[in-house]
Amino acid sequence: MERTLNPAVAHMDESLIREMTRVAEECGAVNLAQGFPDYPTPEAVLDAARAALREGRNGYTRTWGDPALRSALARHLREFWGLAYDAEEECVITCGASEAIMATLLSLLAPGEAIVVPEPIYENYLPASRLARAEVRLLELDPFTGRWDPTALDEALTGAKVLVLNTPANPTGKVWRLEELETLAELLRRHDCLLVTDETYAFITRPGQRHVPPATVGDLRGRTVTIGSFSKTYAVTGWRVGFACAPRPLMEGIRRAHDFFTICAPAPFQAALVEALKLPESYYTDMAASYRRRCDLLRAGLAETGFITGDPDGSYFLLLDVSSLGIEDDRTWSVAFAKERGVAGVAGSAFLLRGMPREDGRAPDRRGTFLRLSFGSSEARIAEAIRRLKGA
Ligand SMILES: Cc1ncc(COP(=O)(O)O)c(C=O)c1O
């Protein structure tokens, strides 16, 4: 059967995140594996969705996205982040950031071209790169401090076409700082390399720690595709709406790929999200503060159980340091942890190239150093997870 599949698909694992959700359901563990936001979707946005459905806005929208949403998005990006994109020419509304990532990488990368991916990796970049038959090169980040080596990046970028960056990052919680992005801009300019940034968690940062969109730094805008999502910001992960913005020559290819992937994102939800983009600044600051409270609660509880954790600046993921446990196969270990301790997280090797299925058939290396826990869950759920970890 494998011979009939594209090797890029034959060597894809089922997403471990979704697998751990199933494990949590089966064994009754608190699910801190999947990062869905346990946060109320604003009433005004829900009302707008109901109205859109009632008004019969159920057909395809323009392929590039509902013009009202694109123009609201361009205004929002300008007002919040100082990003200047033209709604007509430089934006596309996609089925989530997931589709934007696929459409972007498949439209930019030809077989054999190289893409540089910081590791730990958010799980979607690798399947997209493999489907494009691109050569994947890694830039190692320290999962807990986010430190990286500019010389190693310089080397990795030699002859590469694309660097993909995720800020704030899943799973590390790293928020790339302005000085780091300036170093990056210089390296990308020197290597004439494109940048694809995934800013799905732009609004989920530690209070006082502001996200810096890479396209606002130096001359990066001209070589950058900015990808974002409505999923987490407005707690609508199931609506499947995200976006990509880029200068016209890059956008043309992304729009073409998007057209043939999905035609358009769901019409009534695009209409409703115009309302979301009218929410006041306090919505975003309240949300960020709420996630930080959950992060502090989880960190404090874990500290009482003796676990060492990271201290993320953004996203809603916390890494548990399990490097001292000598774990040989962290996937098996994380399933046992969910069953025995009653809390499901995601094994760190799911975010490392060495832990993923290999096309040469060799066994993946799943020696475990960290477990990813999500604090997107409610405070009650986090408190229950801590209670179980304490064995109470
Ligand atoms: C870094 C990152 N990018 C993209 C996505 C997918 O977002 P969307 O729901 O918009 O497809 C996720 C979801 O977990 C994510 O963590």
Side-chain angles (χ1 to χ4, degrees):
M1 182 64 184
E2 269 201 3
R3 286 177 53 222
T4 66
L5 296 176
N6 178 338
V9 173
H11 294 90
M12 260 177 217
D13 248 358
E14 180 192 14
S15 156
L16 186 59
I17 296 166
R18 289 179 270 289
E19 185 187 325
M20 286 310 293
T21 293
R22 207 176 44 242
V23 168
E25 278 165 13
E26 281 165 12
C27 72
V30 180
N31 182 7
L32 299 189
Q34 187 140 26
F36 53 84
D38 196 338
Y39 198 80
T41 307
E43 271 307 319
V45 179
L46 295 176
D47 285 344
R50 288 183 197 104
L53 287 163
R54 243 184 275 113
E55 286 161 14
R57 301 180 67 168
N58 300 310
Y60 298 128
T61 63
R62 190 114 24 109
T63 292
W64 324 139
D66 182 331
L69 182 58
R70 269 185 288 127
S71 85
L73 175 67
R75 181 182 44 74
H76 172 89
L77 292 175
R78 194 173 54 248
E79 285 174 3
F80 273 90
W81 307 118
L83 279 165
Y85 286 112
D86 180 75
E88 271 309 304
E89 306 274 348
E90 298 181 312
C91 302
V92 60
I93 306 296
T94 55
C95 292
S98 304
E99 194 222 341
I101 293 164
M102 269 300 168
T104 300
L105 295 186
L106 285 172
S107 65
L108 297 183
L109 289 163
E113 289 183 323
I115 176 168
V116 180
V117 187
E119 179 182 82
I121 310 170
Y122 167 60
E123 60 169 3
N124 282 27
Y125 311 138
L126 202 68
S129 306
R130 282 184 169 169
L131 282 170
R133 308 305 295 161
E135 177 201 340
V136 176
R137 300 180 188 169
L138 297 177
L139 169 69
E140 273 184 40
L141 304 185
D142 182 300
F144 290 95
T145 64
R147 272 193 217 108
W148 55 285
D149 176 5
T151 314
L153 180 58
D154 194 12
E155 218 168 275
L157 286 177
T158 304
K161 174 93 171 274
V162 173
L163 168 71
V164 66
L165 200 75
N166 176 210
T167 182
N170 173 5
T172 61
K174 176 182 174 68
V175 176
W176 285 69
R177 286 176 289 109
L178 178 62
E179 312 80 78
E180 292 179 291
L181 294 171
E182 284 169 346
T183 306
L184 209 71
E186 169 58 24
L187 287 169
L188 290 169
R189 195 179 55 71
R190 198 159 355 117
H191 291 282
D192 194 20
C193 185
L194 298 171
L195 177 65
V196 174
T197 68
D198 175 354
E199 301 170 42
T200 290
Y201 298 97
F203 285 100
I204 305 181
T205 54
R206 176 199 291 282
Q209 169 94 44
R210 202 169 155 78
H211 163 66
V212 182
T216 59
V217 178
D219 66 353
L220 280 180
R221 184 191 182 281
R223 59 176 76 252
T224 297
V225 179
T226 300
I227 290 174
S229 174
F230 296 88
S231 287
K232 321 282 176 172
T233 313
Y234 307 104
V236 289
T237 51
W239 286 13
R240 311 309 304 128
V241 190
F243 60 88
C245 300
R248 193 171 161 184
L250 300 176
M251 182 47 57
E252 275 178 7
I254 299 168
R255 284 181 167 189
R256 245 176 266 162
H258 158 74
D259 187 1
F260 291 109
F261 280 166
T262 58
I263 304 180
C264 68
F269 300 135
Q270 289 193 60
L273 287 165
V274 174
E275 252 348 275
L277 294 176
K278 294 178 188 162
L279 289 167
E281 191 156 355
S282 59
Y283 171 77
Y284 303 94
T285 46
D286 289 351
M287 179 183 58
S290 161
Y291 282 122
R292 181 45 51 173
R293 277 196 303 278
R294 301 177 198 193
C295 178
D296 291 344
L297 184 67
L298 185 59
R299 284 190 74 227
L302 288 166
E304 284 175 27
T305 64
F307 280 113
I308 297 170
T309 66
D311 188 9
D313 284 330
S315 79
Y316 45 52
F317 300 106
L318 181 67
L319 301 186
L320 204 67
D321 187 345
V322 295
S323 55
S324 63
L325 301 183
I327 299 163
E328 280 299 318
D329 178 339
D330 66 350
R331 292 198 169 204
T332 310
W333 176 84
S334 61
V335 171
F337 187 84
K339 289 182 178 159
E340 287 158 21
R341 306 295 299 264
V343 176
V346 182
S349 67
F351 307 96
L352 303 176
L353 186 61
R354 65 169 169 79
M356 298 178 188
R358 303 166 60 118
E359 295 196 17
D360 62 12
R362 284 188 9 232
D365 174 357
R366 289 174 177 159
R367 280 171 294 172
T369 56
F370 64 87
L371 182 75
R372 190 196 77 172
L373 299 178
S374 165
F375 55 86
S377 296
S378 66
E379 291 188 29
R381 233 196 288 197
I382 291 171
E384 174 59 19
I386 293 165
R387 199 183 61 72
R388 293 190 186 196
L389 289 172
K390 284 180 175 167

